[in-house]
Amino acid sequence: MTARALPRTSRRFTLLGAPFDGAATLGWPGSRYAPDRIRAGMRWILQRREGGQIYCLDHAALHPFPDDLLTDGGDVHTVAHDLEATLAGAAAGVRDTLAAGHTPVLLGGDDSLLYPAARGLAESTAGTVAVVHLDAHLDLLDRSEQQGAHSHSSGMRRASELPNVDLAASVQLASRHFNFPSSLSFREQAGLRNIPAAEIHRRGTEAIAEDVIAQIAAADQVLLAFDIDCVDPAHAPGAGAHEPGGLTSFQALDLVQRLAPYVDALVLTEVNPLTDLHDRTANLAAYLVAHFVVHGGSPDAAPEGALS
């Protein structure tokens, strides 16, 4: 039987906002407004809690949802004109949350925030860290004249440079279309696995989740980095960039449900209220967070078959 990562024990979660899109050098800016819109979507979902429980129709099951399962820790320190200060503030927010014994859920903001989320997790453990990176793009660009070294195109590259990030245990999901040849060269040299969206469509989310869980088993801690543009723009029109052929909303939710018990931090980026339609994308993001918390809060809450 394939080695499996152990599901995380019962835990509590803290929501952190990072209202910053100063590194959105390509695509559309506007993701600075996402944390507030996602929080509004969360209020719609959380009104259904009763008696410390919530009912998940997907699996016809009651799940624990005590009042302290998810708390809002406010926004991390951001400086609109200072990328480096903002990255440091986001990393500190993740570190402080972990030090308090909670699982951080960082809401971007643009995808430069992948790096400080990984940094905050990596600096909180003496062990290794794997990154499960759902994104239409590879985000492995080293640097460029227009984008510098810490843009939304370089988050995964910068995370790879952290001394205890284990790229051999990491995996990228849902990429598609075209990217930089230099990023391919780096990925091949580093041994970073890539599962494109086309393969997910062919094989299905259950099989892909099984592969991912086996891949991350070698790491001590796991970051789930979810760029909303991994979802097809038909399902998530409010994104920083539109890449057709992506995941459906169902596939995205199913993957998060299955992976949540094995993940120690979540960063969700690139929701863009300025390009959104009637909050469809912010609403999807809110449900992704809710399922991450419900199905990741206790091993008993994982979807049937996900932990077998």
Side-chain angles (χ1 to χ4, degrees), residues 228-288:
I228 203 71
D229 70 22
C230 73
V231 181
D232 191 276
H235 299 263
H242 286 173
E243 300 282 2
L247 303 181
T248 66
S249 55
F250 172 81
Q251 289 173 318
L253 289 161
D254 192 55
L255 281 170
V256 167
Q257 288 176 10
R258 293 178 181 279
L259 297 177
Y262 303 94
V263 171
D264 299 280
L266 168 67
V267 55
L268 196 159
T269 59
E270 297 288 348
V271 173
N272 189 338
L274 297 186
T275 63
D276 208 358
L277 297 175
H278 309 296
D279 282 331
R280 291 179 194 172
T281 312
N283 185 58
L284 173 59
Y287 274 99
L288 288 165

Side-chain angles (χ1 to χ4, degrees), residues 112-163:
S112 66
L113 293 159
L114 186 162
Y115 166 69
R119 175 180 157 189
L121 182 57
E123 292 176 349
S124 299
T125 179
T128 58
V129 173
V131 180
V132 179
H133 180 210
L134 286 102
D135 199 319
H137 312 100
L138 298 178
D139 291 357
L140 293 173
L141 183 67
D142 187 12
R143 52 182 48 82
S144 72
E145 179 184 8
Q146 293 298 320
Q147 295 186 270
H150 278 291
S151 74
H152 61 150
S153 297
S154 300
M156 189 65 177
R157 181 65 172 262
R158 298 285 81 86
S160 75
E161 296 167 350
L162 295 165

Side-chain angles (χ1 to χ4, degrees), residues 11 23 30 38 65 70 97 101 114 123 128 148 158 182 186-187 203 216 256 261 268 280 286 304:
R11 51 191 172 158
I38 297 171
F65 207 127
L70 177 66
T97 300
L114 186 162
E123 292 176 349
T128 58
R158 298 285 81 86
S182 59
F186 174 83
R187 183 173 63 79
R203 295 179 55 210
I216 62 178
V256 167
L268 196 159
R280 291 179 194 172
E304 184 178 354

Side-chain angles (χ1 to χ4, degrees), residues 9 15 26 34 58 64 82 105 114 129-130 142 168 171 175 177 199 206 214 222 234 243 269 280 291 294 297 306:
T9 56
L15 201 65
L26 299 177
D58 298 350
D82 193 332
V105 178
L114 186 162
V129 173
D142 187 12
V171 59
S175 56
H177 303 311
E199 184 176 345
E206 183 174 359
V222 180
E243 300 282 2
T269 59
R280 291 179 194 172
H291 281 283
V294 168

